[in-house]
Amino acid sequence: MEIPENIQEQLNQFQQLQQQAQAVTMQIQNVEVQVQETEKALEELKKTDESTEVFKQAGTLLIKVDYKDALADMEDKLETLELRKQTMARQEERVMKKLEEMQSTIQTAMQGMGQ
């Protein structure tokens, strides 16, 4: 039995959406790693005294920066990463909901074919 063209098109869209969901999930995992690294660096920075020399990586170079500037930069970076993570989580939620809807539609159409 051959699958009708409209159902085949829905299956193709479903597969594309699955790939998009996987990509978003991988991006979220990447951001989570960055959040953890930033939190750890911020924690270590807060353990040091303000008079401690602090260096910031710029490509392959280390550049001396003011302690307060480094602290503010790290806090800003952490806040940005957290916002990105929240945005991506909402995107993932929307994609997963759309996947569920498409799966239900495709299953209904396939069951209709079998009758």
Side-chain angles (χ1 to χ4, degrees):
M1 176 169 62
E2 192 171 313
I3 298 174
E5 192 174 317
N6 65 330
I7 295 177
Q8 187 61 47
E9 180 63 32
Q10 288 178 337
L11 287 170
N12 290 340
Q13 290 176 353
F14 184 77
Q15 288 175 333
Q16 289 174 348
L17 206 55
Q18 281 180 316
Q19 290 172 351
Q20 183 180 352
Q22 288 175 336
V24 171
T25 300
M26 288 176 54
Q27 290 173 349
I28 289 172
Q29 290 171 346
N30 184 23
V31 171
E32 286 174 345
V33 168
Q34 291 179 37
V35 166
Q36 290 172 355
E37 289 174 352
T38 304
E39 286 174 339
K40 180 77 171 149
L42 190 55
E43 180 183 316
E44 291 300 319
L45 186 59
K46 287 180 177 180
K47 287 180 186 177
T48 63
D49 186 67
E50 283 190 34
S51 62
T52 303
E53 287 186 341
V54 179
F55 295 86
K56 177 178 169 180
Q57 187 171 353
T60 58
L61 299 175
L62 290 177
I63 299 171
K64 186 176 179 180
V65 293
D66 181 66
Y67 176 89
K68 289 180 182 178
D69 290 343
L71 189 61
D73 286 349
M74 293 297 288
E75 289 171 342
D76 287 347
K77 180 179 180 179
L78 184 58
E79 184 179 340
T80 301
L81 287 169
E82 290 288 355
L83 287 172
R84 185 181 305 163
K85 184 177 157 185
Q86 290 172 5
T87 301
M88 294 171 109
R90 284 193 301 269
Q91 181 181 358
E92 181 184 41
E93 193 176 299
R94 284 192 304 270
V95 170
M96 296 308 274
K97 184 177 180 185
K98 181 72 174 168
L99 272 172
E100 288 174 15
E101 291 170 0
M102 285 185 76
Q103 182 176 11
S104 176
T105 301
I106 291 168
Q107 284 176 339
T108 302
M110 295 293 277
Q111 287 171 353
M113 269 182 49
Q115 295 176 351

